[in-house]
Every structure is written in structure tokens, then in C-alpha cells.
């Protein structure tokens, strides 16, 4: 990450705070029911409403109707993965137009490999694919990927675009697969936390000024512009292991893309939760 280049306000009165999402970190169009300036705002963090990727619920309504009949979480996860295998012909790539012997053998790259890749390296090729997916679906531009992404003409940005293109090349509807991961994550969160709309999450950081901070207030409160996708944990003690400071945030469930326990046995990590970015009111405290 990097130290902010944005103007930072120091405020004593934190109530009624109004800070808009900067225009240069959002794009005008997305595939969501809310625009980027709304879903990336502080107001959305405090008063969230469901986010829906256009077409996903309508196309796969029978899947979620059937999942309602399955009581055990593990069995629902198994059924979902079986559905993904069949719907996207993951075990029969030739049915999706794959030609054996082609130069770039990447047809086995699917949502599972992308998720594992993020856990292994959030600045890698698979992570670039997910950050590109967040931009396409929610309209939030990435701020960091193995370097600052302030300038679309910079070497860092060009490298990010190349990694994203390489990650998508010769794959089978990979972004649509990620749409389904998000939809299934939202389905399971409703069952895990009935009636709730926020999740207290934590992130360990080494220095506070490595983030884009737009305002500072009393008792460690900050308004922070996060990358368009970020790793958090639901275990505060685990966050202690990753830095001298801890960011505490109430995340709207609707901005959670995936979490480790969503697919038992598939993802292994530090109780990681993948969170869509934007502006957040956070509390930063020492370990």
C-alpha cells in the first residue's frame, strides 16, 4: 500500500460527517443495482441495502430455490460446487469450445483456482482477475496491485492490466463464475447471521499512513479509502499477528465477496474475509 496523496481533514465533530467517494476511483457504469458513488460511500456503510449483480438471481433462481431445501451447510456447499461444475462444464471443457492441443492450456482455471490464488498472493495474476471483476460489477477502481495504480499510463497499471488479461485468457466464463460465488456468499451470510446487516472485521497493519486517509477524528477514528478488494479477518487475535495496528470496521454483509468457511475444505487461511472497497469509517488502534 502507500501513503495517501489525498487531502486529509482533522475533525473534532465526527457526527454528521459527509465525505464523498472521489470521482477518480469510480467508473460511471457497472453491473450492479447501485452506482459506485453510492455503494462506495460512508452512508452506504452505515445504511446498507442489498447489492445485486444484474441477471445472476434470475438466471440461477432454481439453484437457490433448491438450496433452501438443504439444511446442512456442508451439503449446500457441495451442491453448489456440483452445480458450478455442471453449469460451466468445468469437467468437460470441450463442450465450452475448448480445443485440445492449443498453445495456452488454461482451461482448468476456474473460480476455485482464482480464490486460492488470492489467498496465496493478493498481488498475483488471480488477484488481478478478481480486482477487475470488482471494477466491472461494482464500478470501484483498484488502488493498488503490486504498486500504486493512480495513473492508468503508469508501468504499474499496465502490468496490472496485463496480469488481468492473462488471467482471463482462454478461460470459461470466469467472471460469471465469480458472480455466482458472490451470490452464494450472500445467500449463506443470510443464514449464518439472520437479521444482521453488519459484520465486525479486523485487519492488522504495520503503519497507518500506508492507507489513503481522508479524515481523522477522535478515539482513533479515520475515514479510509480502501482498495477495491481487501482481506480482513473475523478473528481479532489473528489480526494481531499481521501488524502493530489493528483496523476495526463494521462491514456491510452485502460488500463481502467470499470468506474461507464458505467452502469447507476448499480454502485454507487465517479466517480470511474478502471485502469490496470504497470509503469506510474505521477505528485504528494499537495492538
Amino acid at each position: 500500500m502507500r501513503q495517501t496523496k489525498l487531502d486529509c481533514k482533522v475533525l473534532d465533530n465526527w457526527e454528521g460527517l459527509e465525505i464523498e467517494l472521489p470521482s477518480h476511483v469510480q467508473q460511471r457504469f457497472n453491473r450492479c443495482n447501485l452506482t459506485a458513488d453510492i455503494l462506495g460511500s460512508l452512508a452506504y456503510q452505515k445504511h446498507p441495502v442489498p447489492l445485486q449483480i444484474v441477471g445472476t438471481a434470475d438466471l440461477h433462481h432454481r439453484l437457490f430455490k433448491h438450496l433452501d431445501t438443504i439444511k446442512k451447510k456442508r451439503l449446500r456447499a457441495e451442491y453448489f460446487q456440483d452445480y458450478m461444475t455442471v453449469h460451466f462444464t468445468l469437467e468437460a471443457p470441450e463442450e465450452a469450445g475448448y480445443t485440445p492441443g492449443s498453445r495456452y492450456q488454461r482451461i482448468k482455471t476456474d473460480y476455485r483456482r482464482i480464490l486460492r490464488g488470492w489467498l496465496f498472493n493478493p498481488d498475483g495474476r488471480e488477484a488481478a482477475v478478481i480486482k477487475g471483476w470488482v471494477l466491472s460489477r461494482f464500478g470501484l477502481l483498484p488502488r493498488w496491485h503490486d504498486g500504486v495504480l493512480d495513473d492508468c499510463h503508469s508501468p504499474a497499471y499496465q502490468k496490472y492490466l496485463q496480469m488481468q488479461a492473462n488471467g482471463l485468457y482462454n478461460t470459461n466464463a470466469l467472471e460469471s463464475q465469480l458472480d455466482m460465488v458472490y451470490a452464494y456468499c450472500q445467500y449463506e451470510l443470510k443464514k449464518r447471521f439472520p437479521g444482521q446487516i453488519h459484520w465486525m472485521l479486523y485487519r492488522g497493519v504495520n503503519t497507518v499512513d500506508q492507507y489513503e486517509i481522508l479524515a481523522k477524528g477522535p478515539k482513533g477514528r479515520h475515514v479510509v479509502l480502501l482498495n477495491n478488494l481487501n482481506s480482513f479477518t473475523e478473528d481479532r487475535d489473528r489480526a494481531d499477528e499481521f501488524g502493530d495496528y489493528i483496523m476495526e470496521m463494521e462491514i456491510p454483509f452485502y460488500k463481502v465477496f467470499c470468506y474461507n468457511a464458505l467452502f469447507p475444505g476448499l480454502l485454507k487461511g487465517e479466517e480470511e474475509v474478502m471485502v469490496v472497497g470504497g470509503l469506510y469509517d474505521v477505528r485504528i488502534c494499537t495492538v
Side-chain angles (χ1 to χ4, degrees), residues 70-207:
I70 304 175
K71 303 302 180 182
K72 294 184 177 181
K73 174 185 173 181
R74 177 175 289 275
L75 294 180
R76 289 196 301 270
E78 291 176 356
Y79 186 88
F80 174 81
Q81 293 180 77
D82 289 343
Y83 178 90
M84 293 287 284
T85 298
V86 173
H87 183 81
F88 292 102
T89 63
L90 299 182
E91 294 182 354
E94 63 279 358
E95 295 181 11
Y98 171 64
T99 302
S102 59
R103 181 178 179 182
Y104 298 101
Q105 303 290 329
R106 300 201 60 252
I107 197 62
K108 291 184 178 181
T109 300
D110 58 21
Y111 71 99
R112 295 165 295 196
R113 182 170 294 187
I114 293 296
L115 294 175
R116 292 192 190 104
W118 168 273
L119 295 177
F120 178 73
N121 181 9
D123 287 323
R125 181 173 63 185
E126 290 80 8
V129 170
I130 305 182
K131 291 173 184 176
W133 173 84
V134 172
L135 171 59
S136 170
R137 272 45 180 177
F138 300 107
L140 299 173
L141 277 75
R143 305 297 296 141
W144 176 275
H145 188 82
D146 197 28
V148 180
L149 301 184
D150 264 348
D151 181 0
C152 63
H153 301 292
S154 68
Y157 204 96
Q158 296 303 310
K159 179 182 178 181
Y160 155 73
L161 291 178
Q162 183 178 16
M163 295 175 75
Q164 180 192 358
N166 290 342
L168 286 172
Y169 182 77
N170 205 28
T171 59
N172 180 18
L174 190 52
E175 290 185 313
S176 294
Q177 294 180 42
L178 298 181
D179 291 346
M180 289 299 295
V181 171
Y182 174 75
Y184 179 62
C185 175
Q186 294 300 305
Y187 176 88
E188 285 295 328
L189 284 174
K190 289 179 183 178
K191 289 188 171 296
R192 181 177 175 182
F193 302 99
Q196 293 183 227
I197 58 175
H198 287 96
W199 194 358
M200 179 62 76
L201 297 177
Y202 309 92
R203 179 181 174 91
V205 298
N206 289 319
T207 59

